[in-house]
């Protein structure tokens, strides 16, 4: 994704990710500050054109639900009770969409709004296991897509960011490699309350909506660097990080 130099390149990336995660569809939809729209994804073009022709944007519970929320949304949490919503879902299924969905709303500068969606056909238990296992990864991917798309927005100004303290960098690095807050506190020899203070401070400086968003922003801005080639290398990073940190 970092090597992509044009919006069309994101289509290649999203197709590769769809295959890597073994799902039916992945979609990223972006509306910039001027109202222009861009989308990339694996939905059949017939469905995309049909969606636009029918004006489904006005009745799509996924769009409405994401616009009202800041956190990821499982489609089962949305209101599908209206006649229009049920008809829309039935039409979507006829066009090859899966019965399960997980969408991540993203808000950027100057009114920019985006949604990243994973869609698949399976039973509820299988889907629940998938989203539980990949929730954090998908949030990071969504924000990386959005960061890259924003680079192509005409006239976009670079985001300013406040520097993180050394301890905030330590905390965010450990979170990035998969530590829980309790594990971060143990590795840094501090209390969980103190760890939470550092996390919230870093989140505020990064202008992030939540901890996962803060990790995504810290990674995308190069404030923290984590080796991710394989599990062994990642664990080595954690061990070295923990070993060099002084007690406080």
């Amino acid at each position: 994704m970092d090597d992509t130099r044009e919006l069309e390149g994101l289509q290649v990336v999203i197709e590769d990710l769809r295959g890597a995660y073994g799902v039916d569809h992945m979609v990223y939809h972006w509306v910039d500050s001027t109202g222009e729209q861009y989308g990339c994804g694996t939905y059949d073009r017939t469905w995309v054109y049909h969606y636009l022709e029918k004006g489904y944007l006005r009745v799509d519970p996924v769009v409405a639900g994401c616009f009202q929320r800041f956190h990821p949304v499982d489609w089962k949490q949305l209101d599908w009770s209206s006649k229009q919503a049920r008809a829309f879902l039935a039409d979507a299924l006829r066009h090859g969409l899966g019965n399960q969905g997980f969408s991540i709303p993203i808000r950027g500068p100057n009114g920019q709004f985006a949604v990243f969606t994973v869609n698949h056909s399976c039973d509820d238990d299988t889907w629940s296991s998938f989203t539980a296992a990949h929730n954090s990864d998908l949030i990071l991917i969504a924000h990386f897509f959005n960061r890259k798309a924003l680079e192509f927005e005409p006239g976009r100004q670079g985001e300013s960011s406040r520097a993180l303290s050394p301890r905030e960098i330590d905390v965010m690095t450990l979170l990035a490699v998969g530590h829980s807050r309790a594990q971060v506190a143990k590795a840094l020899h501090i209390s969980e309350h103190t760890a939470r203070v550092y996390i919230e401070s870093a989140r505020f400086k990064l202008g992030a909506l939540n901890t996962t968003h803060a990790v995504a922003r810290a990674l995308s801005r190069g404030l923290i660097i984590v080796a991710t080639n394989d599990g062994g290398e990642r664990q080595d990073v954690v061990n070295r990080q923990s070993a060099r940190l002084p007690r406080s």
Side-chain angles (χ1 to χ4, degrees):
M1 197 179 298
D2 281 337
D3 292 335
T4 303
R5 295 293 176 262
E6 55 186 2
L7 282 173
E8 289 73 14
L10 294 181
Q11 178 65 32
V12 177
V13 174
I14 207 165
E15 290 176 4
D16 289 344
L17 283 168
R18 185 266 308 269
Y21 280 90
V23 293
D24 293 342
H25 297 292
M26 279 191 178
V27 177
Y28 171 78
H29 181 212
W30 160 51
V31 181
D32 72 13
S33 56
T34 66
E36 292 295 320
Q37 299 186 51
Y38 165 75
C40 65
T42 61
Y43 287 157
D44 190 282
R45 286 186 178 273
T46 301
W47 166 246
V48 175
Y49 294 141
H50 182 69
Y51 183 100
L52 296 172
E53 182 181 297
K54 288 285 189 178
Y56 277 149
L57 188 66
R58 300 191 305 271
V59 301
D60 187 345
V62 177
V63 173
C66 286
F67 196 75
Q68 296 168 3
R69 293 169 169 84
F70 289 89
H71 300 293
V73 180
D74 189 298
W75 288 8
K76 290 190 292 294
Q77 300 169 349
L78 300 172
D79 183 5
W80 299 90
S81 61
S82 73
K83 182 178 180 180
Q84 285 181 316
R86 292 195 302 271
F88 163 74
L89 179 59
D91 202 6
L93 294 174
R94 284 195 297 271
H95 280 81
L97 272 70
N99 63 316
Q100 306 285 359
F102 184 78
S103 294
I104 300 163
I106 312 160
R107 286 166 176 80
N110 305 317
Q112 186 254 359
F113 174 71
V115 177
F116 181 85
T117 291
V118 181
N119 175 258
H120 194 55
S121 294
C122 62
D123 60 69
D124 288 351
D125 288 342
T126 300
W127 188 244
S128 179
S129 297
F130 174 85
T131 55
H134 300 297
N135 174 61
S136 296
D137 283 351
L138 294 173
I139 292 173
L140 289 172
I141 289 169
H143 286 286
F144 273 118
F145 258 93
N146 200 59
R147 176 182 64 82
K148 198 64 185 179
L150 283 171
E151 290 181 9
F152 305 122
E153 183 178 357
R156 168 161 165 71
Q157 300 296 317
E159 292 181 81
S160 60
S161 61
R162 296 168 59 182
L164 299 182
S165 71
R167 187 59 97 183
E168 288 166 351
I169 291 174
D170 290 337
V171 168
M172 298 306 289
T173 300
L174 290 173
L175 289 173
V177 297
H179 276 39
S180 66
R181 191 170 65 197
Q183 291 171 323
V184 168
K186 182 178 180 181
L188 299 180
H189 307 289
I190 58 178
S191 68
E192 284 193 49
H193 173 76
T194 301
R196 183 169 63 248
V197 170
Y198 285 126
I199 292 169
E200 288 302 304
S201 176
R203 187 178 67 81
F204 176 77
K205 288 180 178 180
L206 292 164
L209 301 174
N210 50 47
T211 301
T212 304
H213 188 194
V215 170
R217 287 198 161 187
L219 284 167
S220 67
R221 296 177 187 179
L223 300 177
I224 59 176
I225 299 174
V226 177
T228 57
N229 290 343
D230 55 58
E233 184 174 353
R234 177 172 288 200
Q235 187 59 49
D236 288 344
V237 173
V238 176
N239 292 338
R240 291 197 300 272
Q241 179 79 359
S242 300
R244 74 172 179 81
L245 296 171
R247 295 178 179 271
S248 60

